[in-house]
Amino acid sequence: MSDALSPFLEATIRTATPLALAALGESIVERAGLINIGLEGAIISGAFGAFVGAQVAGGAGVGMLAGALAGALTSAIFAVFAVGLRADQIITGTAITLLALGLTGTLYRLMSGTATTVSAIPMLSPVVLPGLSSIPLIGRALFAQPVITYLLYLAVPAAWWWSTRTHAGLALRAVGERPEAAAAAGIPTRRVHWAALLVGGMLGGLGGATLVLAQAGTFVEGMSAGRGFIAIAIVALGRWHPVGVALAAVLFGAASALQYLFQSMGWTLPYQLFLAFPYVLTLLALAGAAGRAVPPAALGRAAPAGS
Amino acid sequence: MSRYPLAIALLVMAVLLALLFASITLAGHDAARALRALLSGSVGSWYAFTSVTLVRTVPLILGGLAVAVAFRAGVWNIGVEGQILAGAAACTAIGMSVAGWPAGVALVVLLLGGAAAGAAWAGIAAVLRHRFGVLEVISTIMLNFVALYGVGYLVRGPLQEPLGIYPQSPELAAALWLPRLVPGTRLHWGLVVAVVAALGLWWFLSRTASGFRIRAAGASPSAARSAGEIDVARTAGTAFLISGALAGLAGAIEVTGVTFALYETISPGYGYTAIAVALLARLDPLLILFSGLLFGALEAGAGAMQRDAGVPSVMVSVITATIILAVLAARTRRGVPA
C-alpha cells in the first residue's frame, strides 16, 4: 500500500504547490475586497516569463524572478482598469485572462516558429532535506521538493501572522470589509488595492513559473489550464485564511494526483474523467462549504470614489 | 479624476497592440501581408464572406445574446462555452437515435434538445448560486472544463464513430442537416435562427414584464426587491436558463449546420469571444447582430492570416481582450460604473 501511496502523496504536494502559491496571493487580493479573475492570466504570464527568463539567463533562479515579475505586470494591468478606472472586476479579469493567454500563445509561437527543436531550459531540481525526508510515508512527499515548496511552507504562517498581527495586515482587511470606513480612518485604499494586486500577481506568476521550472520543463500554450480559477475556488474553500487555503490546495493536489494512485493500483478509468475530477470536486466542495464561509464584505464591489 | 487612469489605460492598450505587431515583424513575418490576409480571408470574396465570416458569426451572435441576457440580469455567466458544448453533445446524442423520424420534426427536436441541454448545464450553476451561494463566475468556469473533458470522453466512448479510431462521433444523417441558406456556399439557416433570436430577445427585454424584471434586477437588485417587489433570485434564475438555452442552441446549430458530427474542438472559444461580442454591443440584442458580424470577420480573417502569412491566430484573443478593455475604459469615462 505504501508503495502506491508514496508517489501519490509526492504528486499531491507537487501539484498543490502552484495552486497554493496562486491561491495565497488571491486570498490577499480578496481580503482587500477585490476579486481578480485575471489570476489565470497572471499564472500563464508567469509561466511564459519563467520560460523566457530561464532560457535567456540560463538559470532557473532568474526564471523564477522573471515569472514573478510577469505575474505582477499582468495584475498591474488589471489594477489600472479595476482600481484606477473602477471598471467592473469580473469583466476586467476575464479580459486580462484572454489577453494573457493570447499574448503568451502568440509570442511563444512566434519565438518557436523558426526553431525546429525545443531548447532545454534549466530546471529547479528537488532538494532532499536530510533526516526529514526519511520520515516514513510522508517524508519524501513533504521534504524532497523544489525550493519553492519550502518557501511556501514559510509563506503560509508568515501570511497568517502578517494579516492578523501587523498594522498593515489589519489595514488591508479593513479595506476589504468597510472601504468607506477605512478611507475615513485615513487608510489609502487605492494604494492598498494596488499593493495587494501586485503581491497577488507576483504569487500567481510564481505559481506559473513553478509549472514550467519544477514540472513541465517547457512552456505549453494555455498550460495554466484553469488553475487560476481553481485557485479562486480554493480561496473560498479555505475561508480566506492562509492555513485553510494551503489545506484546500493540498486537497486539490490530491484530486489531480488521483490518477497516479489509480495507475499504481491497476484500476482503469477513462483518462478524461481524471482530468475533469478536480473541477467537479471544486463545485462539490464550494457547495459543501456554503454558509460556513463568510467572504470579505466588500468583495467585488468597486472601491469608493475619491479614496 | 478619471482622466489620468484613462490615459494610462489607453497607453497600455496602444503598447499591447504595438508589441503584438512588432513581434510579428520581428519574428520574420510580413505585417502588411498578414493584414491583407486578414481582410481577404474575411470580406475579400463572396465565398469568404458567406462561407467563413457569416458561418462563424452565427455562434457568436447566439453566444453574445446568451451573455447579454445573463449580464443584464446581473448574472455573471462565463460558462457560455460549456453550455455550447453541452448543447452540441445532446444534439448529437439525439441525432443518433431519431432515425426514421420525419426530417423536419427531427431537426427541430435536435435544436430544441441542444437548447434544453444548454439550459440544464447553466441550471447546475443557477442551483449552486441560489441554493448554496456559490459564485456563478467560478462555477460556470469549472463547468466549462467539465464539459470540455466530458465531450472528450463522449467522442472516445459512448458517442465514438463505429470504427473506434477517431475522437469524433459518427456523421449525422444528411436529413438532419440544416439546409443551406445560400446555394453554393456553406452558409446555413442558422443565420436566420440567430437573427430571429436577436429580434426575439430585444422584444422580450424591452417589451415584456419578464424582460423588465430582468433589467430591473440587474440594474439594482435592492431597488427591484423593495420598490418593484421583484423576486430577484427567481428572475436571475430565469435569465440564467434563457442564457444557457441560447448557448445550447448555438452548439446544436454548429453540429447540424457546420460540422455534422461532434468533435472536442467544435467550439474554438466561441463562448469567450461572445463576452466581447456582448460587451461591445453594450448588451443590446440588436447591436449584437453587428458586433457578432465584426468578430466573425475577425476570426475568419485570423484563420486566413495563419494559413497565408504564418501569423498565429491566437492573437485574436489579444484583439478581443483589447476591445473589451477599450469598452470598459470608454464606459467608465462617461461616469457609468461599467
Side-chain angles (χ1 to χ4, degrees), chain A residues 133-161:
Chain A
S133 62
S134 19
I135 300 170
L137 204 61
I138 57 164
R140 288 199 63 82
L142 289 174
F143 302 110
Q145 295 283 350
V147 108
I148 185 73
T149 307
Y150 303 134
L151 288 178
L152 183 64
Y153 294 165
L154 299 177
V156 171
W160 169 80
W161 180 81

Side-chain angles (χ1 to χ4, degrees), chain B residues 205-230:
Chain B
L205 284 176
S206 60
R207 297 285 185 272
T208 69
S210 308
F212 173 76
R213 279 196 289 272
I214 285 178
R215 287 184 290 133
S220 172
S222 52
R225 200 175 288 123
S226 55
E229 293 183 351
I230 291 170

Side-chain angles (χ1 to χ4, degrees), chain A residues 37 81 84-85 88 90-92 95 99 102-103 106-107 109-110 221 226 229-230 232 270 272 275 279 283 287 290, chain B residues 5-6 9 16 23 29 76 132 137-139 141-143 145 149 153 156 279 312 314-315 318 321 324-325 328 332 338:
Chain A
I37 304 281
F81 285 87
L85 287 172
D88 183 89
I90 302 291
I91 299 176
T92 307
L99 179 71
L103 208 55
T106 307
L107 294 177
R109 284 208 210 170
L110 290 174
E221 255 187 88
F229 305 120
I230 291 192
I232 293 168
Q272 286 77 21
L275 292 177
Y279 304 99
L283 289 171
Chain B
L6 181 71
L16 285 172
S23 51
H29 298 290
W76 299 111
F132 301 98
V137 174
I138 310 283
S139 62
I141 292 172
M142 294 297 119
L143 285 166
F145 285 99
Y149 294 126
Y153 165 70
R156 288 180 185 82
L279 288 176
V314 281
M315 74 167 268
V318 180
I324 298 179
L325 293 176
L328 285 178
T332 44

Side-chain angles (χ1 to χ4, degrees), chain A residues 237-258:
Chain A
L237 195 61
R239 301 195 208 177
W240 293 269
H241 189 289
V243 176
V245 165
L247 291 177
V250 170
L251 176 70
F252 285 91
S256 309
L258 210 58

Side-chain angles (χ1 to χ4, degrees), chain B residues 28-41:
Chain B
H29 298 290
D30 184 344
R33 185 175 159 192
L35 219 53
R36 268 200 307 279
L38 186 74
L39 285 176
S40 69

Side-chain angles (χ1 to χ4, degrees), chain A residues 34 75-89 91-92 95-96 190 193-194 197 300-307, chain B residues 1-13 321-338:
Chain A
L34 297 160
S75 272
I77 303 179
F78 177 87
V80 165
F81 285 87
V83 180
L85 287 172
R86 300 198 302 126
D88 183 89
Q89 293 166 22
I91 299 176
T92 307
I96 298 295
R190 264 167 203 258
H193 279 158
W194 264 91
L197 282 168
R301 261 206 287 139
S307 49
Chain B
M1 177 65 223
S2 74
R3 196 175 301 153
Y4 173 60
L6 181 71
I8 299 178
L10 292 176
L11 192 69
V12 165
M13 290 185 293
T322 311
I323 290 176
I324 298 179
L325 293 176
V327 171
L328 285 178
R331 274 215 298 208
T332 44
R333 191 187 160 185
R334 286 200 313 269
V336 185

Side-chain angles (χ1 to χ4, degrees), chain A:
Chain A
M1 188 63 193
S2 88
D3 288 350
L5 266 181
S6 284
F8 165 66
L9 292 175
E10 264 188 79
T12 296
I13 299 297
R14 192 169 61 233
T15 353
T17 301
L19 286 174
L21 283 166
L24 196 62
E26 179 75 11
S27 72
I28 294 169
V29 169
E30 292 194 14
R31 276 291 194 190
L34 297 160
I35 183 158
N36 181 10
I37 304 281
L39 179 63
E40 176 80 4
I43 295 178
I44 194 73
S45 300
F48 185 69
F51 175 73
V52 175
Q55 202 166 43
V56 170
V62 177
M64 291 308 284
L65 283 180
L69 195 67
L73 201 65
T74 309
S75 272
I77 303 179
F78 177 87
V80 165
F81 285 87
V83 180
L85 287 172
R86 300 198 302 126
D88 183 89
Q89 293 166 22
I90 302 291
I91 299 176
T92 307
T94 309
I96 298 295
T97 293
L98 263 182
L99 179 71
L101 286 170
L103 208 55
T104 55
T106 307
L107 294 177
Y108 178 69
R109 284 208 210 170
L110 290 174
M111 265 175 59
S112 60
T114 43
T116 45
T117 53
V118 181
S119 43
I121 57 163
M123 288 185 64
L124 278 184
S125 42
V127 178
V128 180
L129 297 186
L132 288 172
S133 62
S134 19
I135 300 170
L137 204 61
I138 57 164
R140 288 199 63 82
L142 289 174
F143 302 110
Q145 295 283 350
V147 108
I148 185 73
T149 307
Y150 303 134
L151 288 178
L152 183 64
Y153 294 165
L154 299 177
V156 171
W160 169 80
W161 180 81
W162 182 82
S163 67
T164 54
R165 295 287 184 276
T166 70
H167 193 271
L170 293 173
L172 176 97
R173 293 171 58 180
V175 171
E177 297 291 342
R178 293 276 162 80
E180 293 85 0
I187 298 172
T189 55
R190 264 167 203 258
R191 223 179 297 164
V192 169
H193 279 158
W194 264 91
L197 282 168
L198 289 180
V199 171
M202 192 191 77
L203 285 168
L206 279 176
T210 307
L211 290 177
V212 168
L213 296 171
Q215 297 178 16
T218 185
F219 179 81
V220 182
E221 255 187 88
M223 72 189 298
S224 47
R227 284 183 180 82
F229 305 120
I230 291 192
I232 293 168
I234 284 174
V235 173
L237 195 61
R239 301 195 208 177
W240 293 269
H241 189 289
V243 176
V245 165
L247 291 177
V250 170
L251 176 70
F252 285 91
S256 309
L258 210 58
Q259 51 176 310
Y260 300 104
L261 186 66
F262 271 55
Q263 267 165 19
S264 52
M265 302 294 262
W267 301 334
T268 51
L269 267 181
Y271 182 55
Q272 286 77 21
L273 295 188
F274 285 115
L275 292 177
F277 184 63
Y279 304 99
V280 176
L281 183 70
T282 307
L283 289 171
L284 294 177
L286 284 176
R292 287 186 284 119
V294 182
L299 189 62
R301 261 206 287 139
S307 49

